[in-house]
């Protein structure tokens, strides 16, 4: 790879480069953190190489990010701590938002956001409320952005009908000869297909509006202020596109309410934490209620179940296809993931009356 200092040198950063270190936390893009000294002060930056095997149209990804962050920044101009509330792209010396290295890979640079915490999982009701609040704030800032101006960088990403079509293709081909071993899981997903279409159908029929969606609203993509505990910034904007914001509430509820790891093999440990679920919704609605439609409000809880179902179908499809999409560490890994999603849905169903009653 081209020397990282040379790549950083393509960007318009004032001062002298002091050090660079690799950040191993991400699983898709290559990330580095640099430290510069300018006029006696220290400044840090985040540099990322986009994974073009995942993002096949990286310039469109960057155009979406630039449009969305610029819009959010106009909403923050009056705040003293605005620099930590939205990702800020740094331009290149050629006045562009990204640069290409000698191998043809796209690189971008953000100003580093400091004095914040991140969390790998959710286990606290107060944090759950703050999590929901952060997702609601992100959507509130973008509720007046024309979503049809964004590129579709991953087609039908959360389209349930498309995911079921892929599952049926996997069943028909049975590439890995695993079909007979997953009959119970297939039966569950096929029995739930009609209900799972709720979000997709509502969007296609115009019963919920087209809005900007993040599409990966897990808690590790929220930066929390180290002093106040507020969720101040939503990061990892590579999948920002148009859709229904219920995709984002759904992913928030799916990842935030599960009581075990996504690949837990002991299904007795897998369930839905009802209290965390409710607090996420309350935090979210404390900000979002002023722009949500009645139908969107009515479908928030359902979005958690539907998004869990989408992921379960995707994991099972990949298992039948021979594990070609998701990284695995054991032969049953994708099947284990699919089973945890089923277990989460089943526990949601057991608690559904209580959850919806608390949110009515």
């Amino acid at each position: 790879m081209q020397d990282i200092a040379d790549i950083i040198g393509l960007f318009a950063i004032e001062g002298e480069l002091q050090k660079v270190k690799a950040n191993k936390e991400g699983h898709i893009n290559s990330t580095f953190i640099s430290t510069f000294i300018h006029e006696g002060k220290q400044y840090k930056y985040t540099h990322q190489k986009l994974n073009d095997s995942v993002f096949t149209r990286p310039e469109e990804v960057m155009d979406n990010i630039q449009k969305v962050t610029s819009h959010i920044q106009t909403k923050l101009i009056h705040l003293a701590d605005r620099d930590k509330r939205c990702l800020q792209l740094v331009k290149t010396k050629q006045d562009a938002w990204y640069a290409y290295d000698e191998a043809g890979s796209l690189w971008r640079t953000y100003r580093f956001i400091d004095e914040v915490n991140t969390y790998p999982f959710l286990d606290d009701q107060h944090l759950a409320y703050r999590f929901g609040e952060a997702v609601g704030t992100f959507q509130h800032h973008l509720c007046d952005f024309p979503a049809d101006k964004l590129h579709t960088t991953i087609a039908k990403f959360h389209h349930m009908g498309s995911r079921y079509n892929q599952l049926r293709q996997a069943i028909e081909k049975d590439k890995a000869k695993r079909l007979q071993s997953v009959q119970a899981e297939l039966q569950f997903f096929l029995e739930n297909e009609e209900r799972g279409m709720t979000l997709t159908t509502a969007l296609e029929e115009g019963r919920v509006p087209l809005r900007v969606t993040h599409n990966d609203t897990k808690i590790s993509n929220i930066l929390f202020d180290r002093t106040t505990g507020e969720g101040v910034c939503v990061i990892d904007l590579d999948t920002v596109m148009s859709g229904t914001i219920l995709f984002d509430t759904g992913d928030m509820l799916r990842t935030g309410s599960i009581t075990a790891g996504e690949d837990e093999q002991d299904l007795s440990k897998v369930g839905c934490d009802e209290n965390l679920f409710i607090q996420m919704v309350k935090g979210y609605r404390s900000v979002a209620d002023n722009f949500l439609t009645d139908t969107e409000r009515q479908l928030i809880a359902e979005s958690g179940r539907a998004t869990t179902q989408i992921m379960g179908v995707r994991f099972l499809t990949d298992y039948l296809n021979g594990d070609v999409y998701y990284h695995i560490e054991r032969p049953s890994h994708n099947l284990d993931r699919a089973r945890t999603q089923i277990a989460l849905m089943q526990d949601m169903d057991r608690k559904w009356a209580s959850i919806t009653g608390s949110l009515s």
Side-chain angles (χ1 to χ4, degrees):
M1 187 181 79
Q2 184 178 354
D3 188 85
I4 185 63
D6 291 339
I7 294 168
I8 292 172
L10 299 172
F11 292 87
I13 300 174
E14 293 183 312
E16 182 179 346
L17 177 62
Q18 298 294 300
K19 61 182 179 180
V20 183
K21 67 175 183 178
N23 184 331
K24 303 293 187 181
E25 293 180 7
H27 298 295
I28 296 178
N29 300 318
S30 299
T31 304
F32 298 84
I33 309 298
S34 70
T35 302
F36 279 74
I37 299 294
H38 178 60
E39 296 181 348
K41 293 183 179 180
Q42 179 176 287
Y43 299 89
K44 295 167 74 175
Y45 299 86
T46 301
H47 313 276
Q48 290 183 317
K49 180 179 75 170
L50 265 68
N51 185 333
D52 55 14
S53 65
V54 175
F55 303 107
T56 57
R57 299 193 293 274
E59 293 185 5
E60 293 184 359
V61 170
M62 291 305 302
D63 189 54
N64 284 354
I65 292 173
Q66 192 276 321
K67 287 176 179 175
V68 165
T69 54
S70 294
H71 188 83
I72 293 174
Q73 286 159 12
T74 65
K75 306 296 181 74
L76 306 174
I77 195 70
H78 63 290
L79 298 176
D81 63 347
R82 56 185 174 273
D83 288 349
K84 69 166 57 176
R85 291 182 176 271
C86 182
L87 291 174
Q88 297 181 64
L89 287 164
V90 176
K91 282 192 170 183
T92 69
K93 292 175 180 177
Q94 304 301 317
D95 199 38
W97 294 112
Y98 50 85
Y100 284 98
D101 64 18
E102 293 173 352
S105 295
L106 185 149
W107 287 77
R108 65 174 172 228
T109 292
Y110 291 116
R111 295 185 182 277
F112 185 83
I113 299 177
D114 220 337
E115 300 300 318
V116 292
N117 292 325
T118 57
Y119 300 94
F121 56 87
L122 186 60
D123 60 359
D124 175 81
Q125 290 189 46
H126 179 70
L127 185 61
Y129 187 93
R130 290 293 208 179
F131 180 22
E133 194 177 50
V135 173
T137 298
F138 177 80
Q139 293 181 349
H140 181 249
H141 288 326
L142 293 166
C143 67
D144 60 346
F145 184 91
D148 59 354
K149 301 299 183 184
L150 296 178
H151 304 283
T152 300
T153 53
I154 304 176
K156 298 185 180 295
F157 188 57
H158 274 125
H159 192 285
M160 186 71 85
S162 176
R163 297 303 182 185
Y164 268 91
N165 287 339
Q166 292 168 357
L167 177 62
R168 287 191 167 90
Q169 291 170 10
I171 292 169
E172 181 179 351
K173 294 178 180 178
D174 192 18
K175 291 179 181 178
K177 306 303 178 187
R178 293 168 165 175
L179 184 59
Q180 291 306 312
S181 66
V182 296
Q183 291 303 301
E185 291 79 13
L186 279 174
Q187 181 179 352
F188 177 85
F189 284 127
L190 293 174
E191 287 175 350
N192 280 272
E193 182 175 7
E194 183 177 355
R195 180 175 174 182
M197 289 292 296
T198 300
L199 305 188
T200 299
T201 302
L203 182 61
E204 291 179 340
E205 292 180 350
R207 290 187 289 111
V208 296
L210 188 74
R211 299 189 190 269
V212 178
T213 55
H214 181 280
N215 292 303
D216 193 16
T217 45
K218 56 191 176 187
I219 193 167
S220 58
N221 280 335
I222 311 295
L223 304 182
F224 293 86
D225 187 281
R226 196 167 291 167
T227 301
T228 66
E230 180 187 359
V232 291
C233 185
V234 179
I235 62 172
D236 196 0
L237 304 179
D238 291 335
T239 53
V240 165
M241 291 180 279
S242 62
T244 167
I245 53 174
L246 296 165
F247 295 153
D248 286 354
T249 57
D251 226 13
M252 172 187 75
L253 294 169
R254 177 185 76 87
T255 60
S257 68
I258 192 168
T259 57
E262 191 172 66
D263 56 0
E264 176 59 57
Q265 293 176 284
D266 182 355
L267 296 181
S268 68
K269 297 179 180 179
V270 180
C272 172
D273 188 311
E274 180 180 343
N275 293 323
L276 296 181
F277 191 108
I278 291 168
Q279 288 304 311
M280 283 185 283
V281 175
K282 288 184 175 180
Y284 173 77
R285 288 192 59 177
S286 72
V287 180
D289 253 3
N290 64 355
F291 70 85
L292 292 174
T293 67
D294 288 342
T295 303
E296 286 174 322
R297 288 189 195 93
Q298 292 164 8
L299 289 175
I300 291 173
E302 185 68 28
S303 73
R305 188 186 191 278
T307 307
T308 304
Q309 185 170 337
I310 289 176
M311 291 309 302
V313 169
R314 291 179 66 185
F315 289 140
L316 187 60
T317 300
D318 200 33
Y319 182 72
L320 290 172
N321 284 335
D323 310 307
V324 294
Y325 186 83
Y326 293 106
H327 172 75
I328 62 167
E329 296 178 357
R330 56 183 181 268
S332 66
H333 208 157
N334 273 317
L335 180 57
D336 295 336
R337 290 165 171 152
R339 286 171 172 167
T340 63
Q341 303 308 298
I342 291 172
L344 178 56
M345 289 175 65
Q346 289 171 332
D347 199 43
M348 286 180 179
D349 289 346
R350 283 189 287 270
K351 298 170 179 174
W352 201 250
S354 178
I355 289 172
T356 55
S358 297
L359 296 173
S360 60

